[in-house]
Structures are given as C-alpha cells and as structure tokens.
Amino acid sequence: MDLGIAGKLALVTGASQGIGRAIATTLAREGAKVVVAARSAEKLHELVRQIEQDGGEAHAIVADLTRPHDLERLVMEAQSLGPIELLLGNTGGPRPGAAQHMKVQDVQAAAELLLYPMVGLVGALLPGMQSRRFGRILFITSLAVREPIENLALSNTLRAALTGYAKTLAREVAAQGITVNTLGPGYTLTERVEEVFAFRAQSQGIPLEAAYAQQTAQIPAGRMASPQEIADVAAFLLSARASYLTGQAIMVEGGAIRGLV
Ligand code: NAD
C-alpha cells in the first residue's frame, strides 16, 4: 500500500532511540522528509546519517522538550524547512513509583515531559495544518491508558491526561482534514523497557531474566514487540491513507490487555 506521504515533512520527537527512532526511519523509508528531535546530538546525527545512507531525507534538531525555549526553537527551525504535515509526539517515560508516594512536584515534572510539550507542539503546528486542511497528529502513550501498570503511577496518570487531550482535539479538527490519535505500545524491546525491568527486578528482589519471563508469560503473543512493529502501525496512522481514523487510542500490545474494548 502506498501510504501517500512521499515528500511530506514529518516532525518526530524523542527520535534518538527506541520507538521514536523506529518511527522516524520508517517514515523516511516511505518517502517522508523527517525532522528528528531529541536531546542527544550524537545519536540524532548518527540517525540522520543512517536515514541518508538508506536514501532518505532527514534533519536533526537538538532539543529538550521539557524546556519551553527549546520547544520554540525546535518549531521555528522545523517550520523553516517547510510545512509540517505529520507530527509524531514522543518523549521518554517518567520515573517509576507508586501512586501513594507521588508528590505534586513529581506530577509537575511528568506533565512537563509528557503533556506540556505535546500541547505546545500542537499550538504551534495546528494553525498551518488548518490552513492547508491536512494534518496528522499522533502521540505515543502506553497500554497503561487501558490497564494501569503497577509502580508506574506517573505514567498511568499523564498518559491518561494526554489521551483525553488528544480525543478532545480530534473532534475539534476532524472536519479540517486533520486526524489526532494516540498509539499505546505494549512491552517493546527498547532501552526504556530495560530500565523498567531493572527497577521491577530490584524492587521484587528477583533476577532480571525472571522479571522478563514473568511479563512475557502474560502476553498472549508470548514475546515483547520490536520497535519496528510499533513503527509500522504508527506510519499507517500518520499516513494520508488513514484519513477517516481519528480520536482513537490504538493499542499495539500483542493481546496483553484483558479488557473487551
Ligand atoms: P526510550 O526511553 O528508549 O526513548 C525515548 C526517546 O525520547 C529518546 O529518544 C529520548 O532521548 C527522548 N526524550 C526523552 N526525554 C526527552 C526530552 N525531555 N526532550 C526530548 N527528547 C526526549 O523510550 P521507548 O521505549 O522508545 O518508548 C517511547 C515512549 O513510549 C516512552 O514514553 C515510553 O515510556 C513509552 N512506552 C514504551 C513502552 C516500551 O515497552 N518500550 C511501553 C509503553 C510505553
């Protein structure tokens, strides 16, 4: 299927590793020009080299999305390359911990990482999408929006907030050719997962391998996802072809969620 995104400009944040990186390379392979943003210049430049080697087009912008000034600069630099038609909003997960130990400052910091940058990016990019009557907005969340995960209270809380924002926005702009969706990855083999499982093994006093085995035993697919499996769904959701798909929280989780919907 031709996704219809060749030549379109995509902004992918949190692109230096893991799921964001896989999405950036997939969009580039489909012919989109990608602007990749994250904090690590070295990793971003390596990614740009990789994309260019594969015949794609990419541009790196180093930015910490928790800093409003960086966000402003990111948007200005990205828009100087052309109209941004596809936005993939992604950053890292907040630190683990139980809800009962959550402090207001922790919630603030998690909102600065997961929610505020996404609202800021939309504020800056939406007017252009509206004037062109085309746009694709996709935020990476987590399967935790359907089934909160123990000891990830900040993630559970802020992903739900972002999902509520996305759903509200989706209805407001649906008639303007703009779709807004969220993608909740299940357990996916990235650096982030290694961090989560190290914490889990430590807090339960079990070996790391046992923590992984415990989890995969609960996934009907019998394994974790590869970042590419998440990226393939993301690329479709960001594509011109997904024109009647909006306001959805799509879970890509190997059957892990037990709920009916
Ligand atoms: P990751 O930690 O490997 O990668 C996160 C990316 O975001 C990196 O490029 C990092 O540099 C960037 N980033 C982090 N903080 C940033 C900041 N302040 N400014 C700019 N860039 C920043 O994570 P991942 O495994 O690829 O997951 C992506 C998202 O999906 C995360 O929010 C994660 O919590 C969530 N998620 C992951 C899984 C999984 O199993 N991997 C499952 C559910 C949800």
Side-chain angles (χ1 to χ4, degrees):
M1 179 175 15
D2 176 5
L3 295 183
I5 56 172
K8 290 191 184 298
L9 191 58
L11 172 58
V12 180
T13 71
S16 66
Q17 64 181 40
I19 290 169
R21 183 187 163 109
I23 294 172
T25 53
T26 304
L27 293 175
R29 224 179 293 131
E30 295 296 325
K33 293 183 267 183
V34 292
V35 181
V36 289
R39 292 163 304 175
S40 159
E42 198 187 336
K43 285 186 185 177
L44 283 180
H45 290 131
E46 194 275 316
L47 171 61
V48 168
R49 264 197 306 278
Q50 176 78 60
I51 288 175
E52 287 174 348
Q53 235 171 44
D54 296 343
E57 208 178 313
H59 184 94
I61 300 176
V62 178
D64 181 338
L65 268 78
T66 62
R67 296 189 183 154
H69 179 72
D70 276 24
L71 196 83
E72 249 173 66
R73 185 178 42 79
L74 165 64
V75 165
M76 270 181 51
E77 265 188 66
Q79 285 184 318
S80 74
L81 300 166
I84 307 287
E85 295 185 273
L86 322 177
L87 168 64
L88 186 278
N90 172 55
T91 53
R95 58 184 190 74
Q100 58 185 316
H101 302 311
M102 227 157 83
K103 303 259 186 312
V104 171
Q105 304 91 286
D106 300 331
V107 181
Q108 174 71 27
E112 283 169 5
L113 179 67
L114 294 175
L115 183 61
Y116 301 167
M118 305 312 151
V119 176
L121 287 169
V122 168
L125 301 179
L126 189 65
M129 291 179 179
Q130 287 173 312
S131 68
R132 292 184 297 275
R133 299 192 74 77
F134 179 86
R136 295 285 179 267
I137 298 171
L138 180 65
F139 299 122
I140 299 301
T141 60
S142 165
L143 86 171
V145 301
R146 291 268 162 76
E147 219 178 270
I149 301 168
E150 289 77 13
N151 254 320
L152 289 182
L154 287 170
S155 175
N156 297 340
T157 304
L158 271 303
R159 313 282 190 191
L162 182 59
T163 306
Y165 167 70
K167 179 74 179 178
T168 311
L169 178 66
R171 291 179 58 87
E172 291 169 8
V173 300
Q176 298 163 346
I178 301 165
T179 68
V180 186
N181 293 291
T182 58
L183 187 163
Y187 292 94
T188 308
L189 284 168
T190 68
E191 289 86 341
R192 162 73 176 159
V193 151
E194 288 168 16
E195 201 183 293
V196 168
F197 278 82
F199 179 83
R200 199 175 281 188
Q202 191 196 21
S203 59
Q204 291 178 15
I206 57 172
L208 188 59
E209 303 69 42
Y212 276 113
Q214 232 176 40
Q215 192 61 57
T216 48
Q218 288 170 40
I219 303 171
R223 61 179 177 82
M224 296 194 188
S226 70
Q228 188 61 54
E229 287 175 303
I230 307 299
D232 287 339
V233 179
F236 175 71
L237 292 170
L238 286 164
S239 77
R241 303 302 290 272
S243 48
Y244 204 61
L245 204 172
T246 195
Q248 302 304 308
I250 306 287
M251 301 292 122
V252 186
E253 36 67 296
I257 296 169
R258 287 181 168 271
L260 196 57
V261 291

